[in-house]
Amino acid sequence: MNMKLKSICTTIVLLGITCVVQAQNPIIKDVFTADPAPLVYKDKVYLYVGHDTASVGEDSYQMPDWLVYSSSDMKNWKNHGPLLSPKDFSWAAKAANAAQCIERNNKFYWYISVIHKSDQNSKGGVGIGVAVSDSPTGPFKDALGKALVTNDMTTDMKHSWDDLDPAVFIDENGQAYLFWGNGSCKWAKLKENMIELDGPIHTFKPQNFTEAPWIYKRKDLYYLVYAAGMPERVEYCTSKSPEGPWEYRGIIQDTSFNSFTTHPGIVNFKGKDFYFYHNGALPTGGGYRRSVCIDYLNYNPDGSIQKIIQTKESVKLVKQ
Ligand code: CA
């Protein structure tokens, strides 16, 4: 809390009114954060993000590691620090691109995308790996010792960064799925051990799909939400099955302030639906110096998603 705010709060408390400091968007202000992937586990939200460190004016991604935060109320975020880096994967060259962590059988599987060493000089060559831990805040270690998905396993897109942005989902029947992609959306089943694909990789193109899929189920509908177009909006499809066919349902988030990318992450926490994304709104922020924000997500009675209202205020404190 800065001194001025502390002084105001002290004054208010002296007047007998409880002062609650409500962090505004972007929610993390001391470092640049991107590609939010929230995880609800027990009574907390864990937030897994990339870490932008490009210099002001530098027009390339500099992402040395992944950071983790947690909160019990969506307002006060505890910093658990950098808990994973491309250096933790012997086969990875660099670039802590988008990632998502999920819990299964009291283990935490963190799917990440990085530039693979074998393709370091070919401008891309993105692969997906998985790290595992007994705790949502680590320590994490490479679960495989090699990539789970390499660029050459999908050939529908000719660019070498088409295997970005893993998203993971476990259906009610226990079947786990990995979704990912840039330019086209790919998916495959995961075995129960969560570290092997179970069957072929499927490829399809949701309308306007660019990258950053996020998949979940609500009531009897599966939702596939993704970054679309460029500069990126967020659009979505729904289906009666995680294996499709998917029906296009429209735009839910317009482009975000001062960033040509954005990235959806959606959770229900204590009865409310929350929408995580990134923009470039911090001072000196931009497309390579991004920041994670949270706003509400609301559904219509037919299950369609209302347009996200991007606010400065962010969401209200969730009561314990
Ligand atoms: Ca590929």
Side-chain angles (χ1 to χ4, degrees):
M1 198 185 306
N2 68 41
M3 290 312 290
K4 189 175 178 186
L5 187 55
K6 197 167 183 177
S7 168
I8 292 168
C9 282
T10 303
T11 305
I12 293 171
V13 169
L14 288 172
L15 289 170
I17 302 164
T18 303
C19 177
V20 178
V21 179
Q22 305 231 325
Q24 296 188 319
N25 281 327
I27 59 164
I28 295 154
K29 296 182 170 64
D30 57 334
V31 291
F32 292 99
T33 55
D35 304 328
L39 167 68
V40 173
Y41 179 67
K42 294 188 174 172
D43 59 348
K44 286 186 180 166
V45 180
Y46 293 87
L47 175 60
Y48 300 80
V49 296
H51 180 198
D52 276 344
T53 62
S55 302
V56 175
E58 189 175 10
D59 61 351
S60 64
Y61 293 111
Q62 303 297 331
M63 304 186 75
D65 45 27
W66 292 275
L67 313 177
V68 181
Y69 297 81
S70 68
S71 177
S72 303
D73 60 16
M74 287 283 178
K75 277 296 189 189
N76 298 290
W77 290 93
K78 180 178 178 184
N79 181 357
H80 297 279
L83 293 186
L84 197 62
S85 150
K87 290 176 182 163
D88 294 320
F89 300 87
S90 61
W91 51 271
K94 60 177 184 175
N97 290 305
Q100 185 182 355
C101 186
I102 199 169
E103 181 268 339
R104 181 165 205 165
N105 298 332
N106 297 316
K107 287 196 179 294
F108 295 81
Y109 297 91
W110 194 355
Y111 299 84
I112 56 89
S113 49
V114 289
I115 296 176
H116 199 287
K117 267 183 184 168
S118 65
D119 279 15
Q120 193 170 4
N121 299 318
S122 63
K123 200 180 178 185
V126 168
I128 293 171
V130 54
V132 65
S133 174
D134 294 327
S135 153
T137 53
F140 284 91
K141 64 175 187 195
D142 186 351
L144 270 177
K146 62 179 183 178
L148 176 63
V149 175
T150 51
N151 178 35
D152 57 357
M153 289 166 67
T154 67
T155 55
D156 61 305
M157 293 281 112
K158 301 308 169 198
H159 59 291
S160 58
W161 61 95
D162 71 318
D163 293 286
L164 277 169
D165 294 357
V168 60
F169 168 70
I170 303 173
D171 205 355
E172 285 154 357
N173 64 8
Q175 179 64 59
Y177 294 88
L178 190 70
F179 280 67
W180 71 95
N182 174 291
S184 68
C185 188
K186 298 60 148 122
W187 67 270
K189 291 180 180 176
L190 286 165
K191 291 185 180 174
E192 191 168 353
N193 65 18
M194 301 298 278
I195 59 171
E196 290 178 90
L197 301 186
D198 190 7
I201 296 172
H202 306 264
T203 297
F204 67 113
K205 283 194 175 184
Q207 186 171 324
N208 304 325
F209 182 89
T210 301
E211 57 187 356
W214 182 268
I215 180 167
Y216 64 99
K217 187 180 188 190
R218 177 183 178 268
K219 295 186 177 175
D220 59 348
L221 267 188
Y222 296 84
Y223 290 76
L224 177 64
V225 181
Y226 51 90
M230 183 58 71
E232 290 175 348
R233 310 170 297 274
V234 174
E235 307 187 8
Y236 78 113
C237 299
T238 58
S239 176
K240 295 287 186 188
S241 161
E243 302 180 21
W246 294 95
E247 179 190 355
Y248 178 73
R249 302 294 294 269
I251 299 173
I252 61 170
Q253 183 209 317
D254 289 326
T255 53
S256 69
F257 177 75
N258 201 29
S259 171
F260 57 89
T261 65
T262 191
H263 192 112
I266 295 166
V267 289
N268 182 285
F269 182 60
K270 298 186 178 176
K272 281 199 178 300
D273 296 298
F274 295 91
Y275 183 81
F276 292 69
Y277 59 104
H278 68 227
N279 65 17
L282 273 191
T284 77
Y288 301 99
R289 294 162 64 82
R290 298 164 290 178
S291 294
V292 168
C293 301
I294 312 174
D295 277 304
Y296 291 113
L297 185 144
N298 292 299
Y299 295 93
N300 294 310
D302 68 353
S304 57
I305 300 174
Q306 295 177 13
K307 196 83 168 276
I308 301 296
I309 300 169
Q310 300 180 45
T311 70
K312 178 101 195 304
E313 293 74 25
S314 188
V315 295
K316 292 189 171 68
L317 182 136
V318 176
K319 295 204 169 59
Q320 303 300 302

